[in-house]
Amino acid sequence: MVFILGVNFHEQKLVKKALESFYALGPQTADRILAKYSIHPRMKMASLPQRTATALTAELSSMTIENDARKVIQDNIKRLRDIGTYRGRRHAMGLPVRGQRTRNQIQTARKLNKVERRG
Amino acid sequence: MMAVPNCLRCLVRPSTTSITTSVIPQSQRIVPILAAPFSTTSSVQKAGMQPRKKAGIPGKGSLSRAQIGPNGHIRAGKKMQLGKFKKAKNIERGKAPAPGERKAFRKRVLLSNDNALPVTGLEELSAQGLLDASNVGRMVALPNELVDQLRAVEAFKPTQSWGMFRQPSVLLRKESVELAKKMTETAGRGETLKLVISGDKLVGKSMLLLQAISNAFLNNWIVFHVPEGQELTNASTDYAPIPDTKPTQYSQQAYGLRLLQALRKANASILAELRTVNPHPELVQHFPVGSSLLQLANAAREPDSAWPIFNAVWSELMVKGNGRPPILFSVDGLAHIMKMSEYRSPAFEIIHAHDLALVNHFVEFLAGNKKLPNGGAVIAATARSNAPRNPSMELMVGRREAELGYAEEKPVKEPYGKGYDERVEKALEKVDVLKLRSVSRTEARSLMEYWAASGLLRTAVDEKTVSEKWMIGGNGNLGEMERVSLLTMRY
């Protein structure tokens, strides 16, 4: 078991996949982080040296990921609503924002479009 | 038999309505056809072959209420609910293979087969025998000690058919003897043989490399062998930038450890006799001058500490004189180490394979920028089945082949061709090329006689059979001959 940023990962998990499990950290960023610390893409958590794991935690804690990234999105939505835009209103109503029809198939909008958006 | 058009709604497989009344009993005609989509058995026969017990199952619950129309359509009656009151089944799936087990199975090398007949009268391979031109076209058995050494450096490949015969044996070809002679002569002069083995697919390049390695072991050389060039460059082992190098070089600790382990397994007796001549203050452990190289190599236990020790052992072996033996450094799969690797630098740039320190060691010798101080050979074999496209390497090898008379015209660079690599061209400028070609009929005959004596080729080996197999096998391409005579069950 290896801890990165307070999260416990299984030893058989790829380091790349472990990094990608953080919100707002995708394949591109993960690749760059791997290259920065000279971790080969097929390395698993078990063979990650403790020193590198600590360095990764430090690196990640300086990035806008997880709750910080969610907060940025929520702020953006809030700003739209506060200045009274159509997009802000649609977000608040949980409806599609970009002119899609709402006769059917708006599950994604119902799921995601909220002022206090999660995920 | 043609399938009759089906009702789309009922979504059953092509029904056998037209024959049901005559051939198949009523209860069986709605049996789903569970076999593979392609089969040479006709559907009538297949339906007939279905075991009765199985056939009974669907009829019991689901379709007893369904009505079967006169032309075979099934109308759903009441919808059944499967598994509503059933207990969850505890299916025994067996133990899943442990991590790495599948790969180990895939990569295992079997070197003997108790079911094959032992071939009597085979000479054992010896250093002298490899140099003797009268041995061309003879099968020779590999002595046990040599087999252990070859296994340690992974010179045997899982794709070669060692597992069919009682004892690993090789055919001494014209090229094997030539290569052995060349190696011995060059090392005798204290020079480095720089050689690329090229040739068509399945012609026996890796096998020739194995014979070169055997020659080295039999003459008590030190051998570093990289069995798969791709393992160095496809970003599957550790790497780390080496500080204070410009342009930055990258170490591969885990692979260095692997090479050291192979070295101390295969060359233990030689290493035990060699003594260090330099102090190695950079190592954690203290090795006074005069300690044995085996002790030094044994100090590498973990990948983390392996790299400095690899460097120390390497620098000790590079000392001139002091009883240091010649060295063979060989790589199989040259194309993989002559391209951009899949590693990335900290600045996210792709690393050239020649910037990896291990590859760099090899390439420097191959290019002739460095020389092995006590002589030896640097041999690379190209691969044809697993090789990335590598225009520069092909160009340079093709040019050398043309110079040596293997081809009529020198290949030229495509004026708008992409993917040429200057570093690769420079590295292969002065290299010697051995183009391996098909075997002669006498060589083929001796090999086929060995197959027959092992009980694997069950025909009389006469002029006719030999010519036939020789011709079917791509005019004497050894791998193809093996395919058409030994591996016919597999293809």
Side-chain angles (χ1 to χ4, degrees), chain B residues 46-47 58 107 111 262 335 371 388:
Chain B
K46 211 187 288 173
K107 300 277 178 197
L111 289 183
K371 290 207 165 69

Side-chain angles (χ1 to χ4, degrees), chain B residues 334-370:
Chain B
L334 179 67
H336 283 282
I337 61 164
M338 289 288 164
K339 62 173 191 126
M340 301 304 283
S341 76
E342 278 163 48
Y343 289 108
R344 298 263 187 181
S345 71
F348 205 58
E349 282 148 355
I350 300 173
I351 299 170
H352 195 285
H354 292 186
D355 286 335
L356 300 168
L358 280 176
V359 177
N360 194 47
H361 276 315
F362 184 78
V363 169
E364 290 283 287
F365 290 119
L366 195 65
N369 299 342
K370 280 190 205 162

Side-chain angles (χ1 to χ4, degrees), chain A residues 35-80:
Chain A
K36 186 171 173 187
Y37 292 96
S38 296
I39 302 167
H40 65 276
R42 296 193 210 169
M43 188 188 267
K44 296 199 169 169
M45 292 308 274
S47 47
L48 190 69
Q50 188 51 46
R51 196 161 16 96
T52 320
T54 323
L56 280 182
T57 303
E59 169 85 19
L60 294 188
S61 56
S62 69
M63 290 172 65
T64 316
I65 53 170
E66 287 288 301
N67 282 338
D68 295 345
R70 289 200 181 89
K71 186 79 175 40
V72 170
I73 290 181
Q74 285 170 10
D75 286 351
N76 290 345
I77 296 172
K78 207 176 226 163
R79 178 178 53 83
L80 290 173

